[in-house]
Amino acid sequence: MTTTPKHDERVANLTFASVYPHYLTKVEKKGRTKAELHLVIEWLTSFNDNKLQELIDDKVTFKTFFEKAKLNPNAKLIKGVICGYRIKDIETQLTREVRYLDKLVDELSKGRKMEKILRTT
């Protein structure tokens, strides 16, 4: 299933600050920590805690969030289905990048080992 232009636009205009609390709640409910969530986000985007907080405070959209990010070269190793979409089939780069983040958060909340989430082994 591919995304539609309307879907891609909606994803681009979502603010990271509006989604971040949901990521945090999701991982904490499953016994993971804010520090682990931040580690996963930093691995994908290169944003440290201070930069992440600045982006949250500035209420940047996902479009701006990923324009500022330095995506990890191993992000292409993130595979599978998230939100009903097979990641490799998502043609719009921004939507694919947002789904990379969603997939990492999902893996974290499901108890996957950090070295697997960060694609180090």
Side-chain angles (χ1 to χ4, degrees):
M1 176 161 63
T2 59
T3 60
T4 64
K6 184 178 179 181
H7 175 268
D8 294 336
E9 182 181 347
R10 193 170 41 106
V11 168
N13 292 323
L14 273 173
T15 62
F16 178 74
S18 69
V19 177
Y20 174 79
H22 299 287
Y23 288 155
L24 186 58
T25 299
K26 183 175 186 170
V27 300
E28 287 181 336
K29 266 194 196 175
K30 299 293 183 163
R32 301 307 284 258
T33 66
K34 181 177 180 178
E36 288 174 310
L37 174 61
H38 283 209
L39 178 64
V40 166
I41 294 170
E42 185 172 357
W43 176 85
L44 180 64
T45 64
S46 77
F47 297 142
N48 63 23
D49 287 349
N50 291 334
K51 183 63 176 177
L52 194 58
Q53 189 58 54
E54 178 185 314
L55 294 167
I56 292 168
D57 292 344
D58 290 348
K59 294 182 175 28
V60 299
T61 62
F62 270 116
K63 182 177 189 287
T64 302
F65 183 86
F66 279 102
E67 284 173 350
K68 293 177 180 280
K70 182 179 177 213
L71 212 63
N72 188 301
N74 286 338
K76 64 186 178 300
L77 299 175
I78 301 169
K79 309 250 188 257
V81 176
I82 190 74
C83 301
Y85 296 96
R86 183 157 299 284
I87 292 172
K88 70 178 178 120
D89 294 339
I90 299 173
E91 295 174 3
T92 306
Q93 181 180 341
L94 174 62
T95 302
R96 188 173 49 249
E97 291 169 351
V98 172
R99 296 304 177 210
Y100 283 160
L101 180 56
D102 291 342
K103 184 68 174 175
L104 294 176
V105 171
D106 194 49
E107 290 175 355
L108 182 64
S109 71
K110 288 182 176 176
R112 194 164 193 210
K113 292 182 179 179
M114 192 59 77
E115 58 269 10
K116 296 282 188 186
I117 297 169
L118 304 181
R119 281 39 183 189
T120 56
T121 58

